[in-house]
């Protein structure tokens, strides 16, 4: 049996502040919302990209197109999985050619998910550039990937997990840090 | 001199079922002494059959020895060893060898080889038509002289009604018997399994019951027309049993046999496309199985014969439709037949009738099928209580195509004696004679 | 639910949730087919072998495209030009191919039970692409998917299937996929080709096409084979077409928004009129489309996340 302590490291209010700051950074760096498109990585990145999309509408008065991508078919660890990962849906109902794509994900860890997402995006078209926005960067990169916009840096150990809970209403959003302690005798 | 003591001698043809000692001398039955005391002053070999049945040597009137021509599946030597292990002292072998047994040379070859190397007496059944092709009658009289005891195109039916009529009529004059593989080949039309719910579920083309029924009806009516002697082989359908019953009531000279798998299994055994459940005629439904049991009980069916059909792996380890038909049966016939006792409606005497007395009578094998004074010294000692598992590694036959491997069986031949010589023995202290 | 099957031999023992899982996966696959670059790397480095002992361009091509869209290597082996004509047994042929270490064998064979038999002797996954008159599971699933797309649901629909029911493995798989999902199936054809036994599956049997098609939501026509006429299942193609062919007149008895299906290839003018084959109500080409997505789903589920040696 796994045991571990859970800790809330970012509550709903904290998340809102971090995401708002991220949005401002995106708009500043790209000098506005022109030619921007948002692509959330299924599943955690989707509510976050929706938040950013709304924020941009409030700040700039522009509706930036938002879509989402399921990277299951692009994973490099498919052969190692012992089961069939359930497929989700990819929906990018607009062209990404010559656009500045902001990839949005909840947690940046090894970087493999981002690599898979970029592979998927390239199959959809030829963006002008791809930028990465993540809520949490927890370190331990295994590929040369870095985020352009980070909500919060959280140093972690390998045995910990970071869960971004974005189901339900925004008041219930939170980010949890779970320590995994192997039970005695394992 | 051979004395079998302490057993229950069950000999329906000799009207006997009592405890006693059997004395065999010079290849015949010399005497029967009631009670379990050895007769005074007996000098010779003694076999203790306490707790066992002592019955006339069992006779399997439907065996495929595959020799000559298909010796990799079985030959006269291994086939008769399997027979002896199963309790059979005599077997009748079918003509679908290569060359077909439609010529006295082949008949003689079989008899002579069996004399030299066989562990059981072999009675060849010769073909009805040359090459089993159904076109020209074989030389019945000459074949009979060479040692054929009956005629059958088994493996195939005699398709032409006219030819069947002629065969029945011609054989009449010599008092010879036609064994019929009754099947309307066209109705079978590419079928691989009994036409019913199981074949439907498995998507297998069906063989309708009518394919057998139509042919049995035809053969019986031709026997009636001609007055010839007819024996229906491997009955598998309810209507087939009904037709035979009707024929007997009408006083016709018709007898019939069935195989142990038809009263033990149904087409449910086909599950998973098991080719060891594939034979012709096919395993039928539960209704048919029950009707065959009924026929065995009420005397309609005269004999149990295995239709022992050895096949090598190559023709059985494949997709169902391509698999060859048939299963081996010599070594499981007795325990499966003893299973009939369980219902309480079949007596030990009846089982001996089905496996010995009746086959002897049907094939007119003089000296066989009974233990009267002067009968041949063919004896089977049956242990009705023996519990054993049928295992592929212990099979005497060359082939291993049986659906019964792994079955826990009750009853088996403890010893088989043919002509006074022990051909098979599981009894302590009794070795088989070379 | 977790996908645990190593083979897809038939739909007979598929639970409803397994069928729904495949359809769900197919939906995701279908999205890939709308992209410009219709390829994902999911089965990169995996090999699928089409082992076809019966002629079939359509199903084989469908599996081939499905495999290639997932970046698998697809190899075609057809019996006409091969060792089989030299008398090699099915088992030997399969074992030889297995020695080259494919991940999936897609088998079409004239003997019912052939894939079940092979599954006992080879270690790679097997997809049954049609075995004798037994099953054609990917067709059963793509028919289900096509109807779901056309009608939104399957439960409660009246689905008429007309033709040589007796020899049709498509029908038998459809009975599992559509029947278990709650459709009311009506099977129709000449009495020599529609065994009464089929009613044991819960379907209704009728020898009158008008009764079958009346108020139907879906009408599926089956191809009639000339050989059946040669073995006296019916007297002539003309009579067959008159009594069991679908034309505008008979089809008008169906519901107004009824759709037409056919597993193909179509005998135009025999079981299906030209007009109806090309009409608005025909979903025959959708079946082909759905077929690729369903087959991609099956290939992915069998080979996508597993090692070749289980």
């Amino acid at each position: 049996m796994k045991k571990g302590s859970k800790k809330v490291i970012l509550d709903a209010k904290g998340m809102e502040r971090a995401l708002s700051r991220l949005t401002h950074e995106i708009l500043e760096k790209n000098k506005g919302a022109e030619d921007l498109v948002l692509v959330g990585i299924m599943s955690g990145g989707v509510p976050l990209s929706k938040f950013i999309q709304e924020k941009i509408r409030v700040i700039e008065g522009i509706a930036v197109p938002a879509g989402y991508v399921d990277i299951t078919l692009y994973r490099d660890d498919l052969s190692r999985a012992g089961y069939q990962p359930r497929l989700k849906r990819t929906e990018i109902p607009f062209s990404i050619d010559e656009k500045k794509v902001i990839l949005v994900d909840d947690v940046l860890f090894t970087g493999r998910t981002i690599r898979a997402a970029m592979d998927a995006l390239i199959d959809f078209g030829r963006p002008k550039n791809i930028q990465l926005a993540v809520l949490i960067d927890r370190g331990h990169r295994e590929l040369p990937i870095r985020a352009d916009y980070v909500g919060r840096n959280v140093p972690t150990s390998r045995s910990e997990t970071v869960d971004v809970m974005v189901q339900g209403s925004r008041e219930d959003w939170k980010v949890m840090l779970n320590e995994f302690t192997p039970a005695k005798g394992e | 001199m051979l004395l079998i003591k302490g057993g229950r001698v069950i000999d329906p043809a000799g009207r006997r079922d009592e405890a006693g000692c059997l004395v065999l001398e010079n290849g015949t039955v010399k005497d029967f002494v009631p009670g379990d005391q050895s007769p005074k002053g007996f000098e010779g070999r003694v076999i203790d059959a306490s707790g066992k049945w002592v019955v006339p040597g069992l006779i399997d009137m439907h065996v495929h020895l595959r020799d000559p021509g298909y010796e990799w599946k079985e030959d006269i030597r291994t086939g008769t060893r399997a027979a002896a292990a199963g309790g059979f002292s005599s077997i009748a072998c079918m003509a679908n060898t290569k060359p077909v047994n439609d010529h006295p040379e082949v008949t003689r070859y079989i008899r002579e080889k069996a004399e030299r190397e066989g562990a059981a007496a072999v009675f060849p059944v010769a073909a009805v038509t040359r090459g089993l092709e159904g076109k020209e009658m074989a030389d019945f009289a000459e074949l009979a002289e060479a040692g054929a005891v009956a005629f059958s195109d088994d493996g195939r039916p005699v398709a032409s009604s006219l030819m069947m009529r002629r065969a029945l009529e011609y054989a009449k004059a010599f008092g010879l018997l036609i064994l019929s593989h009754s099947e309307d080949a066209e109705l079978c039309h590419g079928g691989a399994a009994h036409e019913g719910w199981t074949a439907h579920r498995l998507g297998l083309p069906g063989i309708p019951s009518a394919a057998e029924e139509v042919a049995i009806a035809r053969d019986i009516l031709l026997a009636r027309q001609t007055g010839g002697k007819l024996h229906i082989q491997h009955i598998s359908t309810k209507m087939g049993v009904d037709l035979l019953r009707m024929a007997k009531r009408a006083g016709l000279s018709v007898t019939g046999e069935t195989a142990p798998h038809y009263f033990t299994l149904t087409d449910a055994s086909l599950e998973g496309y098991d080719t060891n459940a594939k034979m012709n005629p096919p395993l039928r439904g539960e209704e048919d199985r029950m009707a065959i049991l009924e026929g065995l009980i009420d005397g309609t069916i005269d004999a149990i014969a295995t239709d022992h059909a050895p096949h090598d792996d190559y023709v059985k380890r494949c997709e169902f439709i391509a698999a060859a038909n048939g299963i081996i049966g010599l070594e499981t016939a007795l325990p499966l037949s003893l299973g009939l006792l369980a219902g309480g409606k079949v007596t030990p005497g009846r089982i001996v009738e089905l496996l010995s007395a009746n086959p002897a009578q049907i094939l007119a094998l003089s000296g066989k099928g009974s233990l009267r004074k002067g009968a041949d010294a063919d004896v089977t000692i049956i242990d009705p209580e023996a519990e054993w598992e049928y295992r592929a590694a212990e099979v005497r036959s060359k082939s291993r195509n049986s659906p019964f491997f792994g079955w826990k069986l009750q009853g088996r031949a403890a010893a088989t004696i043919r002509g006074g010589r022990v051909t098979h023995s599981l009894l302590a202290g009794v070795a088989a004679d070379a | 639910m977790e996908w645990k099957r190593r083979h897809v031999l038939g739909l007979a023992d598929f639970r409803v949730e397994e069928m729904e899982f495949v359809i769900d996966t197919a939906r995701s696959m279908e999205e890939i087919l709308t992209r410009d670059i219709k390829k994902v790397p999911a089965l990169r480095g995996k090999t699928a072998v089409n082992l076809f002992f019966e002629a079939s361009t359509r199903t084989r091509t469908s599996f081939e495209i499905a495999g290639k869209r997932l970046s698998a290597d697809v190899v075609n082996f057809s019996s006409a030009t091969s060792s089989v004509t030299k008398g090699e047994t099915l088992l030997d042929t399969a074992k030889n191919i297995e020695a080259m270490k494919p991940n999936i064998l897609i088998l079409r064979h004239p003997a019912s039970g052939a894939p079940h038999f092979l599954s006992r002797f080879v270690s790679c996954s097997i997809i049954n692409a049609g075995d004798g008159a037994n099953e054609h599971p990917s067709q059963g699933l793509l028919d289900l998917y096509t109807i779901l797309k056309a009608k939104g649901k399957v439960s409660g629909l009246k689905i008429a299937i007309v033709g040589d029911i007796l020899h049709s493995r498509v029908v038998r798989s459809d009975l599992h996929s559509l029947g278990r999902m709650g459709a009311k199936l009506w099977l129709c054809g000449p009495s020599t080709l529609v065994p009464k036994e089929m009613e044991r599956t819960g379907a209704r049997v009728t020898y009158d096409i008008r009764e079958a098609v009346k108020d139907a939501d879906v009408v599926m026509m089956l191809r009639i084979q000339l050989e059946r006429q040669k073995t006296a299942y019916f007297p002539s193609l003309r009579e067959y077409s008159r009594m069991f062919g679908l034309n505008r007149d008979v089809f008008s008895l169906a519901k107004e928004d009824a759709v037409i299906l056919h597993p193909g290839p179509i005998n135009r003018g025999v079981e299906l009129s030209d007009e109806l084959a090309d009409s608005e109500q025909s979903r025959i080409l959708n079946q082909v489309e759905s077929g690729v997505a369903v087959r991609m789903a099956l290939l992915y589920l069998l080979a996508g996340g597993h090692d070749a040696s289980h």
Side-chain angles (χ1 to χ4, degrees), chain A residues 8 26 33 36 48 88 105 121 129 133 140 153 171 176:
Chain A
V8 176
I26 292 170
L36 271 190
L48 300 179
K88 305 173 202 90
D105 204 3
L121 277 183
N129 61 47
H140 300 287
N153 278 299
E171 296 96 59
M176 310 281 301

Side-chain angles (χ1 to χ4, degrees), chain A residues 119-173:
Chain A
D119 268 1
L121 277 183
I122 301 292
D123 275 356
F124 271 88
R126 197 177 187 284
K128 189 169 188 175
N129 61 47
I130 300 177
Q131 302 163 45
L132 176 62
V134 299
L135 181 64
I136 307 283
D137 179 345
R138 63 169 287 202
H140 300 287
R141 216 76 74 235
E142 291 172 5
L143 298 174
I145 305 256
R146 59 146 182 74
D148 298 283
Y149 314 99
V150 179
R152 172 78 72 92
N153 278 299
V154 180
T156 60
S157 69
R158 280 236 118 196
S159 62
E160 289 169 319
T161 65
V162 175
D163 291 319
V164 175
M165 329 274 273
V166 287
Q167 305 87 10
S169 67
R170 298 225 175 122
E171 296 96 59
D172 298 325
W173 286 15

